Amino acid sequence: GSHDSFSFYIDEASPVGPEQPETVQNFVSVFGTVAKKLMRKWLATQTMNFTGQLGAGIRYFDLRISTKPRDPDNELYFAHGLFSAKVNEGLEEINAFLTDHHKEAVFLDFNHFYGMQKYHHEKLVQMLKDIYGNKMCPAIFAQEVSLKYLWEKDYQVLVFYHSPVALEVPFLWPGQMMPAPWANTTDPEKLIQFLQASITERRKKGSFFISQVVLTPKASTVVKGVASGLRETITER
């Protein structure tokens, strides 16, 4: 799996995402493009596009969706601090891979939504229908989902949707079926202890689960390594 899967492309010309705190908004309003270039070093958690990630073996995608403020088209974008690619473009890219590889299956985890109203969710659900159609596996008991089962039914996509909307649509798996506890630490040893404890607890629960093998920078970490970025300051640990 990949974390903030879409962040290989972050648009430095885009506005700051609506989920960002006022301090970040103010920083960008004062320093403009320079601030966004620095932000990109901390926001881009991937260097490959979806096709590259799929070729490298990634089958779980962590997807965070946002509208842009004052966008007349009500377009949906991937977002992580700044906006990334349009959602339909990314989903089409994944679908092209699946069409060429009939025995491959992917998990799409829509776990954060920013600035989205009911009609935005309806638009996203329709987009999933239009792109993936009968490739999507309806929500059933997690224990029943094996590769053999998916191959027999010609299913290739499991969509997890962390919103009450999931309860209304048969092909959306509720978010609690893909829990992703977060250690929120910069210390590798604390991260490993957290992961070991959470795996033991979650094996009994009858759901899929994520082990977030990622360190998370604090504000002080960013300030100290502001020019070097996420990879040098945190990831290599």
Side-chain angles (χ1 to χ4, degrees):
S2 59
H3 177 72
D4 281 313
S5 304
F6 47 81
S7 61
F8 52 86
Y9 170 70
I10 284 180
D11 183 4
E12 292 172 8
S14 82
V16 177
E19 84 286 6
Q20 289 301 298
E22 195 176 340
T23 48
V24 173
Q25 305 275 0
N26 292 340
F27 176 59
V28 171
S29 66
V30 173
F31 295 102
T33 306
V34 174
K36 289 180 184 177
K37 284 186 185 299
L38 291 173
M39 282 177 71
R40 191 185 191 290
K41 289 186 173 187
W42 287 92
L43 297 173
T45 56
Q46 309 298 330
T47 58
M48 292 180 179
N49 63 14
F50 284 136
T51 303
Q53 290 183 48
L54 286 158
I58 296 299
R59 295 294 180 269
Y60 163 86
F61 294 94
D62 164 16
L63 306 172
R64 304 167 191 220
I65 314 300
S66 183
T67 58
K68 274 187 184 175
R70 298 174 296 283
D71 176 14
D73 299 325
N74 280 312
E75 192 60 72
L76 300 176
Y77 293 87
F78 298 118
H80 187 214
L82 296 168
F83 291 93
S84 182
K86 290 180 181 177
V87 172
N88 66 304
E89 293 171 358
L91 299 184
E92 292 275 15
E93 192 177 338
I94 292 170
N95 189 50
F97 176 87
L98 295 174
T99 300
D100 289 342
H101 301 83
H102 294 288
K103 285 198 159 186
E104 295 297 334
V106 297
F107 298 85
L108 306 182
D109 189 8
F110 292 85
N111 53 60
H112 286 71
F113 300 102
Y114 304 112
M116 285 181 62
Q117 306 299 324
K118 187 172 186 285
Y119 62 92
H120 293 116
H121 285 285
E122 289 169 356
K123 180 175 181 172
L124 181 51
V125 168
Q126 188 60 48
M127 192 186 296
L128 288 163
K129 277 186 194 170
D130 292 344
I131 294 171
Y132 297 116
N134 293 333
K135 288 188 177 90
M136 289 186 289
C137 177
I140 55 174
F141 290 109
Q143 295 94 323
E144 293 179 31
V145 181
S146 63
L147 281 173
K148 184 172 182 287
Y149 173 83
L150 296 175
W151 291 339
E152 284 171 354
K153 302 281 189 182
D154 290 328
Y155 295 142
Q156 292 183 274
V157 182
L158 277 74
V159 179
F160 297 85
Y161 208 87
H162 296 245
S163 158
V165 172
L167 302 174
E168 303 164 18
V169 182
F171 63 75
L172 296 181
W173 291 66
Q176 66 262 32
M177 294 299 291
M178 185 62 90
W182 173 43
N184 193 15
T185 180
T186 57
D187 183 333
E189 287 186 18
K190 285 183 183 171
L191 172 65
I192 290 164
Q193 288 167 6
F194 175 86
L195 291 170
Q196 287 171 335
S198 60
I199 284 174
T200 306
E201 287 164 22
R202 285 181 289 145
R203 280 203 172 125
K204 303 163 191 166
K205 290 191 179 170
S207 69
F208 296 92
F209 63 85
I210 298 160
S211 294
Q212 292 207 48
V213 190
V214 291
L215 297 173
T216 306
K218 296 180 284 197
S220 58
T221 318
V222 176
V223 170
K224 283 177 193 167
V226 68
S228 55
L230 184 69
R231 176 175 284 202
E232 288 177 37
T233 311
I234 283 285
T235 309
E236 288 174 7
R237 289 191 208 170

